[in-house]
């Protein structure tokens, strides 16, 4: 039985992981620590407070007293570290928060883990600090370059990627220098339920349903490898349970797509769904599809992202051979599940778009 601290558990991947883990390991204790930045949403964790073993703590990973008291009082033996500033565009406009949370925050967490787990007589018998990172640390690929392996030299291009690269190095150094038991996973682009509609896929779905432009950066030829979030959760589970301490593992979806193809695919699927389900036109009257017009008419090519990486691709051979990792969801089925989830969870995304998802904070902490 594990006793976990899950940082950033009110965000997209963290919340999916909390649900995944709670279903699979109902006897585990899991404490979620989240600062509830704009990306944290208590609605992502709805239903969790009824589960035994679960506790939510509103707080910052940089609060060393808080983290130390949680590790000690709750006798936690595993940290799964998701908390981060995660959106590349925001890191271009306001990089400071990325350094604060991704670099200094991660270091703060490592420092406390070291103190509580390595320097105290009452430390747990064993411990693990799992760090959740990204493929963006490896830089950008050309069309014929081989996919990123764990040996690919780091070449981060955005302030976001640089801050994640710095955090990866800090995690590594705490293992090498102090003997902290760590693992790291570097993962490709996730999509699925509860993703904040600032990222490509949920933004395009929300805008298509509300009749807003679908902004495609540059010529839309940039390529990403797409991974359904549940497969990422499974990959992290495998690393936590069977990964070698001190190692890093790439986790990918084995599904490279150009942005413009994804946007067109979303448009086509929404057109089909509206033609099959007459209720959708009444529910989403602003959607072009409600009037029988193609959703693709909303596609708008806009100024490119500064320093926009052209292609990411993950070689997950190591995870496959050592951990038997395989993504189970294809992009086709995962995109279908995601669009269905968005159609069934209009209240969730509307509350994010109009800001009312922040009411929980106001009610509880004003
Ligand atoms: P997200 O932005 O949806 O969620 C981040 C969460 O962290 C939020 O709940 C936020 O409130 C919390 N947080 C931020 N700063 C904090 C702080 N100082 N203290 C405590 N909590 C804080 O992010 P996500 O997309 O779920 O990504 C989770 C992790 O996975 C990140 O580390 C990210 O770098 C990594 N990752 C994401 C992707 C992706 O496609 N989204 C891919 C690979 C890796
Ligand atoms: O409106 C948009 N139009 C557009 O063309 C947005 C939001 C994005 N894009 C493009 C930029 C990228 O090429 O789509 C691609 C995907 O963009 P994002 O969803 O912002 O993701 P990306 O920049 O690839 O980074 C994501 O994957 C790696 C996550 O946000 C990171 O947290 C993760 O580490």
């Amino acid at each position: 039985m594990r006793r976990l601290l899950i940082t950033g558990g009110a965000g997209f991947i963290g919340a999916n992981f909390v649900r995944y883990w709670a279903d699979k390991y109902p006897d585990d204790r899991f404490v979620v620590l989240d600062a509830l930045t704009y990306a944290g949403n208590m609605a992502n964790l709805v239903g969790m407070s009824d589960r035994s073993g679960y506790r939510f703590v509103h707080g910052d990973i940089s609060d060393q007293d808080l983290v130390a008291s949680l590790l000690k009082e709750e006798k936690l033996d595993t940290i799964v570290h998701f908390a981060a500033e995660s959106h590349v565009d925001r890191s271009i406009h306001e990089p400071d928060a990325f350094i604060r949370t991704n670099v200094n925050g991660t270091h703060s967490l490592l420092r406390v883990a070291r103190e509580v787990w390595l320097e105290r007589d009452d430390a747990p018998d064993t411990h693990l600090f799992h760090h959740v990172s990204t493929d963006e640390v490896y830089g950008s690929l050309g069309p014929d370059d081989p996919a990123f392996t764990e040996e690919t030299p780091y070449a981060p291009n955005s302030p976001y990627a640089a801050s994640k690269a710095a955090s990866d190095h800090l995690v590594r150094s705490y293992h090498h220098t102090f003997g902290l038991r760590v693992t790291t996973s570097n993962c490709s682009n996730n999509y699925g339920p509860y993703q904040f509609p600032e990222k490509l896929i949920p933004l395009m779905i929300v805008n298509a349903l509300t009749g807003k432009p679908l902004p495609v950066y540059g010529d839309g030829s940039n390529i990403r490898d797409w991974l359904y979030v549940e497969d990422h959760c499974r990959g992290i589970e495998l690393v936590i349970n069977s990964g070698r301490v001190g190692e890093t593992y790439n986790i990918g979806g084995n599904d490279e797509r150009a942005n413009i193809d994804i946007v067109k695919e979303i448009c086509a699927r929404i057109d089909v769904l509206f033609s099959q389900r007459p209720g959708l036109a009444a529910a989403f009257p602003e959607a072009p599809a409600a009037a029988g017009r193609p959703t693709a008419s909303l596609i708008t090519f806009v100024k490119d992202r500064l320093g926009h990486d052209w292609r990411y691709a993950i070689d997950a051979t190591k995870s496959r051979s050592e951990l038997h990792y395989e993504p189970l969801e294809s992009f086709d089925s995962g995109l279908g599940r995601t669009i269905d989830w968005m159609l069934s969870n209009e209240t969730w995304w509307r509350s994010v778009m109009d800001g009312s998802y922040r009411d929980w904070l106001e009610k509880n902490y004003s």
Side-chain angles (χ1 to χ4, degrees):
M1 184 191 152
R2 285 186 185 274
R3 303 182 67 85
L4 300 101
L5 179 69
I6 300 173
T7 72
F12 161 50
I13 306 173
N16 277 282
F17 181 81
V18 169
R19 289 171 184 286
Y20 177 90
W21 199 273
D23 285 345
K24 202 125 183 231
Y25 304 95
D27 295 333
D28 281 4
R29 172 73 169 156
F30 35 103
V31 177
V32 171
L33 174 65
D34 198 297
L36 296 178
T37 67
Y38 81 94
N41 185 346
M42 289 306 282
N44 296 358
L45 293 167
V46 75
M48 283 308 302
S49 53
D50 304 335
R51 312 281 290 251
S52 65
Y54 168 83
R55 176 181 170 196
F56 178 81
V57 177
H58 177 218
D60 199 297
I61 52 167
S62 301
D63 183 341
Q64 297 195 1
D65 291 342
L66 173 65
V67 175
S69 70
L70 289 175
L71 292 185
K72 285 185 262 184
E73 284 161 20
E74 293 274 0
K75 300 194 183 331
L76 303 175
D77 52 32
T78 304
I79 294 176
V80 192
H81 179 35
F82 293 94
E85 289 294 334
S86 69
H87 192 37
V88 173
D89 291 326
R90 287 178 190 259
S91 84
I92 293 166
H93 298 298
E94 288 177 52
D96 291 18
F98 289 72
I99 306 305
R100 221 170 22 245
T101 288
N102 301 2
V103 184
N104 294 329
T106 300
H107 180 247
S108 175
L109 208 54
L110 287 162
R111 214 181 125 162
V112 176
R114 175 191 168 204
E115 179 198 309
V116 175
W117 285 343
L118 295 178
E119 294 176 356
R120 289 171 59 95
D121 295 338
D122 60 351
D125 292 341
T126 188
H127 66 262
L128 183 70
F129 185 114
H130 179 72
H131 177 55
V132 179
S133 194
T134 173
D135 58 3
E136 303 204 10
V137 298
Y138 299 120
S140 182
L141 296 170
D144 301 321
D145 289 336
F148 304 129
T149 71
E150 291 79 358
E151 307 305 320
T152 302
Y154 275 30
N157 288 321
S158 69
Y160 163 71
S163 69
K164 292 297 290 187
S167 66
D168 294 7
H169 293 323
L170 285 165
V171 170
R172 177 189 154 90
S173 77
Y174 265 65
H175 172 67
H176 189 83
T177 305
F178 303 116
L180 195 71
R181 293 168 56 85
V182 307
T183 45
T184 295
S185 50
N186 294 83
C187 174
S188 58
N189 283 57
N190 284 218
Y191 67 101
Y194 302 111
Q195 187 167 30
F196 198 90
E198 63 183 352
K199 309 280 165 59
L200 181 73
I201 289 182
L203 178 73
M204 295 299 150
I205 298 171
V206 165
N207 283 9
L209 295 176
T210 53
K212 300 208 178 84
L214 308 180
V216 175
Y217 299 164
D219 62 5
S221 65
N222 305 66
I223 293 169
R224 300 288 181 268
D225 170 46
W226 293 93
L227 178 68
Y228 192 67
V229 63
E230 209 172 285
D231 281 325
H232 186 189
C233 295
R234 183 177 306 102
I236 293 172
E237 175 195 19
L238 289 168
V239 178
I240 290 175
N241 286 341
S242 317
R244 284 182 290 136
V245 168
E247 291 291 313
T248 67
Y249 293 89
N250 282 354
I251 301 176
N254 209 12
D255 216 327
E256 289 183 48
R257 310 249 168 169
N259 295 338
I260 187 63
D261 294 337
I262 289 188
V263 176
K264 284 183 177 164
E265 177 70 22
I266 291 170
C267 292
R269 284 178 185 238
I270 287 180
D271 291 348
V272 170
L273 286 168
F274 271 68
S275 70
Q276 290 171 343
R277 301 187 203 165
L280 288 178
F284 304 104
E286 299 145 314
R293 289 198 311 277
T295 304
S297 59
L298 295 173
I299 293 176
T300 312
F301 291 92
V302 300
K303 193 167 163 296
D304 209 353
R305 175 185 276 175
L306 287 178
H308 197 173
D309 284 340
W310 190 68
R311 174 178 166 234
Y312 304 140
I314 282 269
D315 179 340
T317 305
K318 180 177 174 184
S319 300
R320 220 172 20 248
S321 57
E322 280 191 27
L323 309 174
H324 308 295
Y325 163 75
E326 272 310 329
L328 300 181
E329 202 75 49
S330 69
F331 186 74
D332 281 345
S333 61
L335 184 63
R337 284 180 73 178
T338 305
I339 295 174
D340 277 344
W341 188 87
M342 295 292 272
L343 289 172
S344 312
N345 288 274
E346 184 186 354
T347 315
W348 179 86
W349 55 261
R350 291 251 186 229
S351 76
V352 173
M353 303 313 278
D354 69 18
S356 59
Y357 74 114
R358 309 295 290 165
D359 292 352
W360 185 92
L361 259 187
E362 297 247 322
K363 262 190 231 127
N364 289 278
Y365 293 101
S366 57

